[in-house]
Every structure is written in structure tokens, then in C-alpha cells.
Amino acid sequence: MQEKNNKNTGKRQYDPELILSAFLLIFIALAIIFTTVLVIVFATGTPDGNGDSTHGSHPGEDDNSSEYVFAGATLSSLPYMSGSSSEVSSINSEYAALIDAESGEILAYKNADKKFNPASLTKVMSLIVMCESLTQEDLDREVLMSEDMLTYVTSGNYVGMTRSYFEIGHSVKVKDLLYGIGIVSAADCAMMVVRYLFPEDNLKRAEARFADLMNEKVTQMGLKDTHFDNAIGHESEENYTTASDMAAIMAYALECPMIEDILSYSKAYSFRVNCTKDGVEESLKLTHYSTLFNVNPQRSSRIRAYENKFGEFSLSGAEFLGGKTGTLGEGTKSEPYLYSLASFAESDGKTYILITGETTLSYGMMVDAKTLYEDYIK
């Protein structure tokens, strides 16, 4: 009987406290594993099919590259000389390259591989980098014109630069700033986008980082005679290109529909800015007027300068579509203005790009454009 009693009372007894402790240990271990996985994922980015991070190095990037304003392009060929490339000398500009945008063949040229300062032609590359760094959502976000920003674009290197004359407290959409860069060639518009991309940096550092991105793009494109040290195009020994390299940059830029629209915008571009005045929020209407097209009789433009002297500007056998102007100098006898132009035209469904650099005549690049487009388009 004793043996039976021992058998009955010898069944294993489970301590509730031990059971609870075991469950707690298991829960803690799982929590540690889960937290570790999350840390690794956020630190390295979400992997794509090859196990690489889909996050790029550019500001404004996210996991969906299809949302970029410009997802990038590939040039089929850099500009090249052929047996039928024609050297020209009897034009106003010191540098020139007319290319077939699709093939890259140089049809006509003058000092095409000699370096010159592109002035505001620089902003074509600025637009490329901006549109490859911005998403569609970014376009509707606003940038504030701050006191330090206004000082930056009106002093130092940027004294006398073209700008949109935003006042401190004006808040402007990124999209409208991009159009201001191409239409007005506005320094304040360019630097406000740079500030948007690098909000944590002071303006000098932000512009230096942006210039680094510009030069990364130069390297990616395989350009050998181009370098940028600012986003605006102010004169500098470290800001240079050639007519043939600039033609390649223009061809690349035109692969972006938004940049193409900006550079071909021939009407007054009206938009709104928000501000607060005397404690009351206001929305003001402002307008960008093109430095290229004859839009506003009260504003100068390159085509207006041509038409004032020669009458209506038009091409025979081609349609002039647009471009980006550039100006250096002080407008004095000792340092006259030097005018440049990166333009594009279409004939029989084909796009042609023309770079003309440095003429002292305000209408000179348009005379050169008419000559080269009409005489050398095949």
C-alpha cells in the first residue's frame, strides 16, 4: 500500500513561477531578434532583387525611382567629328557645336573642344541634377526665402546676378523655382532648390555639395573637359565646359520632359507665392519672363534683341524650339557682356542641338543660330 501511495504522490509537479519565467525569457529573446532585424533593415535600406540597397546617395531619393521627376537617361553617343563635319569661322560666337541629338554627330563647329565659361548655361546641368534628385511630391512643397538666402544671392559672387526678386518670407513651390531657373535664369530660384535639397547645411556648404553632384554627373556622362564649382554659373576658373560637352549635356537634359518644357517655355509663366504681411496670410501672383523669347516688351531677351535689328526671327526648314541663355561680363568697354546660348530645333522629326559661346553682340547668338541651323542641318 505504501508503494501505491508513493506512486500516486510522485507525479511531476510544475511550478507556475518557473513556467511564467520561461515564457518571459522566450518573449524577450523574440523581441531582441525582431528589433535587430528592424535595425538592420532601416540601416541598410530595403534590398532589391540583387540584394543591394535601393536607396541612392542623392537627396530626395526614395524607394520608388519611378517617382523621380527625371529617372535619368542614357546618351547613345557623345558628340563626335565625322568626315562631313564642317568647321565654320564666319559667325559671331567664339565657340560653337551643332549636333544631331540622336547620333551625336557634329555637323558644324568652331573651337568645339576649347574650354570656356558657360555662365548660366551651367543651369542646364543644375536642372538635370535637381530633377534626378526630386520626386513628384517634392514639386508641390514650398521653400521659404530667408534672410540668409537673400543675402547669399545678392552679395559676394552673386552681386548683380539675375533673380526673381522674392522677398524675405515669400514661400515658393519647388516646381515654380525650377521654371524660374530655366525661364528667368534666376540665381535665387537655383539656390532655393539647393537649400531644399540640403536643408541641414549652410548655403556655402550646400552649394558645394550640390556642385559635387553636378561633377558626379559629368563623370557618369564621360565628359572630359567640363567641371562645375557652383549651381549658378558665376565666372570661375573651376567652372568651365566646351561647346561639344555642353551639347552632350543639353541632349541629356532634353530626355527629361519637364526640363524640355522649361527650356521651351515661350509664354509668360505666372505662379503664386505665399507670405504673411502684418499677421495676415497672403497669396501673391508673380510672373517669370523668358530671357530668350520675346514675351514682355518691357523686358530684354535674346530674340527681342534680334528682332529689334532684323525683324521676326524664324528658321527656314526647321523649327526653333527653345534653349538656355548665358551672360558674362559687366557691360562696360573694358569688360563687355559675353552672350552664350544652348538651343535646340527640330527638322523632319529630328532634334538638333546648337551651342554658341561668347559673342559681344546681344543678338549675335541668334544670328549664329539662324546661320548654322539653316546651312548645316542635313
Side-chain angles (χ1 to χ4, degrees):
M1 292 295 293
Q2 183 65 38
E3 183 178 356
K4 185 175 180 180
N5 288 338
N6 288 340
K7 187 175 181 179
N8 290 336
T9 60
K11 291 182 179 179
R12 183 176 297 177
Q13 299 297 312
Y14 292 94
D15 188 336
E17 291 184 0
L18 289 176
I19 294 173
L20 179 60
S21 297
F23 275 113
L24 286 173
L25 287 173
I26 293 171
F27 178 80
I28 292 171
L30 290 173
I32 291 173
I33 293 171
F34 181 72
T35 302
T36 302
V37 171
L38 286 178
V39 170
I40 292 173
V41 169
F42 280 104
T44 61
T46 305
D48 62 13
N50 297 319
D52 298 322
S53 168
T54 58
H55 288 281
S57 60
H58 290 187
E61 289 190 0
D62 58 17
D63 289 340
N64 188 353
S65 62
S66 65
E67 294 182 359
Y68 299 155
V69 176
F70 186 23
T74 301
L75 291 178
S76 57
S77 175
L78 291 176
Y80 67 92
M81 297 286 187
S82 70
S84 58
S85 297
S86 299
E87 184 174 8
V88 296
S89 58
S90 58
I91 59 173
N92 299 289
S93 302
E94 290 297 317
Y95 312 92
L98 172 66
I99 73 165
D100 179 321
E102 183 177 359
S103 70
E105 181 185 7
I106 296 176
L107 308 179
Y109 66 95
K110 178 182 180 181
N111 297 324
D113 294 321
K114 289 188 177 182
K115 296 175 183 177
F116 71 100
N117 192 304
S120 284
L121 304 191
T122 296
K123 295 187 180 79
V124 178
M125 179 60 87
S126 296
L127 285 170
I128 290 172
V129 173
M130 289 170 181
C131 289
E132 287 186 346
S133 301
L134 295 165
T135 67
Q136 294 292 335
E137 289 183 355
D138 289 325
L139 296 180
D140 287 326
R141 292 175 180 155
E142 297 187 351
V143 185
L144 184 70
M145 170 55 81
S146 59
E147 184 174 356
D148 68 322
M149 173 69 71
L150 185 60
T151 299
Y152 192 86
V153 298
T154 56
S155 62
N157 291 327
Y158 296 151
V159 172
M161 287 282 186
T162 301
R163 59 189 181 94
S164 291
Y165 292 95
F166 298 129
E167 297 178 3
I168 296 172
H170 281 181
S171 185
V172 191
K173 285 186 177 181
V174 170
K175 176 184 177 181
D176 299 326
L177 294 172
L178 293 176
Y179 274 83
I181 293 168
I183 294 173
V184 185
S185 199
D188 50 0
C189 289
M191 283 307 306
M192 288 171 79
V193 177
V194 171
R195 162 56 63 83
Y196 178 80
L197 293 173
F198 297 102
E200 72 279 9
D201 290 314
N202 64 48
L203 288 166
K204 185 175 181 180
R205 174 59 181 158
E207 187 172 23
R209 291 180 66 185
F210 186 81
D212 287 342
L213 295 183
M214 296 170 74
N215 290 317
E216 285 180 18
K217 181 56 64 177
V218 167
T219 300
Q220 290 172 12
M221 292 178 64
L223 306 179
K224 304 299 183 183
D225 297 306
T226 296
H227 184 271
F228 299 107
D229 72 352
N230 67 90
I232 308 300
H234 72 77
E235 188 169 3
S236 164
E237 291 184 359
E238 294 303 314
N239 205 80
Y240 58 81
T241 190
T242 65
S244 58
D245 275 8
M246 193 67 225
I249 293 170
M250 189 70 166
Y252 187 96
L254 293 178
E255 292 297 312
C256 174
M258 185 172 187
I259 297 178
E260 181 180 13
D261 188 68
I262 291 171
L263 297 181
S264 60
Y265 206 91
S266 59
K267 301 173 291 184
Y269 180 90
S270 295
F271 61 103
R272 305 200 75 83
V273 301
N274 296 316
C275 64
T276 301
K277 187 174 182 180
D278 298 328
V280 179
E281 293 186 0
E282 294 183 344
S283 178
L284 307 175
K285 180 180 178 181
L286 297 180
T287 302
H288 291 320
Y289 294 106
S290 175
T291 58
L292 173 60
F293 292 100
N294 188 350
V295 178
N296 185 339
Q298 305 303 317
R299 303 290 182 94
S300 63
S301 71
R302 301 287 71 79
I303 289 181
R304 174 172 295 281
Y306 176 95
E307 293 184 338
N308 285 340
K309 189 171 184 65
F310 302 105
E312 182 181 359
F313 176 83
S314 64
L315 300 179
S316 175
E319 180 184 4
F320 184 84
L321 298 178
K324 179 71 194 75
T325 61
T327 307
L328 288 178
E330 301 294 334
T332 63
K333 286 185 177 181
S334 60
E335 193 174 350
Y337 288 129
L338 297 174
Y339 301 98
S340 299
L341 177 66
S343 66
F344 58 111
E346 184 177 288
S347 178
D348 294 330
K350 295 182 66 175
T351 300
Y352 298 88
I353 291 169
L354 173 62
I355 309 301
T356 48
E358 297 193 356
T359 170
T360 58
L361 301 174
S362 61
Y363 53 81
M365 80 277 284
M366 301 313 304
V367 173
D368 293 346
K370 185 172 179 64
T371 297
L372 294 173
Y373 280 128
E374 290 185 345
D375 292 352
Y376 294 96
I377 285 181
K378 296 180 179 179

